[in-house]
């Protein structure tokens, strides 16, 4: 049984020029989002129930991420819901503010 979850690799760099007091902080995030496969199968045992629960948690965090992106894109929101998910909390500095974000997606259509 392989556990599905999101993976976040975060590299934080601090730099300071000689003789200066100002410190520049940069972060580099590599994020692997788990798939959100739906569980339309019969729940025969506890393993199936855990897998279904795991999938529900994945979908919940993906929904929170999409809501944050939607609020940021609207550019008029007074409150951005970063606290709705651990994922969005971790990525808050990369999603909003003075940041550049690139997304690479590998999408495989699910067929039965």
């Amino acid at each position: 049984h392989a556990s599905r979850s999101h993976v976040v690799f975060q590299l934080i760099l601090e730099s300071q020029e000689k003789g200066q007091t100002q410190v520049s902080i940069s972060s580099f995030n590599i994020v692997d989002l788990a798939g959100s496969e739906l569980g339309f199968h019969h729940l025969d045992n506890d393993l199936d129930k855990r897998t279904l629960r795991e999938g529900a948690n994945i979908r919940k965090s993906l929904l929170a991420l999409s809501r944050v992106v939607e609020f940021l894109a609207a550019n008029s929101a007074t409150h951005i819901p970063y606290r709705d998910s651990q994922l969005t909390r971790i990525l808050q500095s990369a999603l909003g503010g003075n940041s550049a974000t690139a997304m690479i997606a590998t999408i495989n259509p699910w067929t039965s």
Side-chain angles (χ1 to χ4, degrees):
H1 166 64
S3 178
R4 300 177 338 217
S5 60
H6 305 307
V7 177
V8 178
F9 174 76
Q10 190 172 54
L11 179 65
I12 299 174
L13 303 171
E14 293 185 11
S15 62
Q16 182 178 18
E17 292 192 30
K18 290 183 180 180
Q20 298 291 323
T21 58
Q22 183 179 4
V23 176
S24 296
I25 300 173
S26 302
S27 68
F28 181 70
N29 298 288
I30 298 175
V31 182
D32 181 10
L33 297 175
S36 62
E37 298 87 6
L38 299 176
F40 289 119
H41 58 283
H42 181 55
L43 302 177
D44 290 330
N45 56 38
D46 288 339
L47 182 60
D48 289 337
K49 291 176 186 174
R50 274 186 274 149
T51 302
L52 190 61
R53 219 175 9 255
E54 197 175 64
N57 288 334
I58 289 169
R59 284 188 297 283
K60 182 178 175 186
S61 66
L62 290 175
L63 176 63
L65 179 60
S66 69
R67 288 187 66 223
V68 166
V69 170
E70 183 181 333
F71 275 80
L72 289 169
N75 217 12
S76 62
T78 57
H79 169 73
I80 309 296
Y82 291 113
R83 292 181 167 235
D84 288 355
S85 163
Q86 287 181 359
L87 178 65
T88 54
R89 238 179 281 154
I90 290 169
L91 296 176
Q92 181 173 353
S93 64
L95 294 171
N98 185 18
S99 64
T101 304
M103 179 178 155
I104 300 171
T106 303
I107 302 170
N108 184 15
W110 180 73
T111 59
S112 57

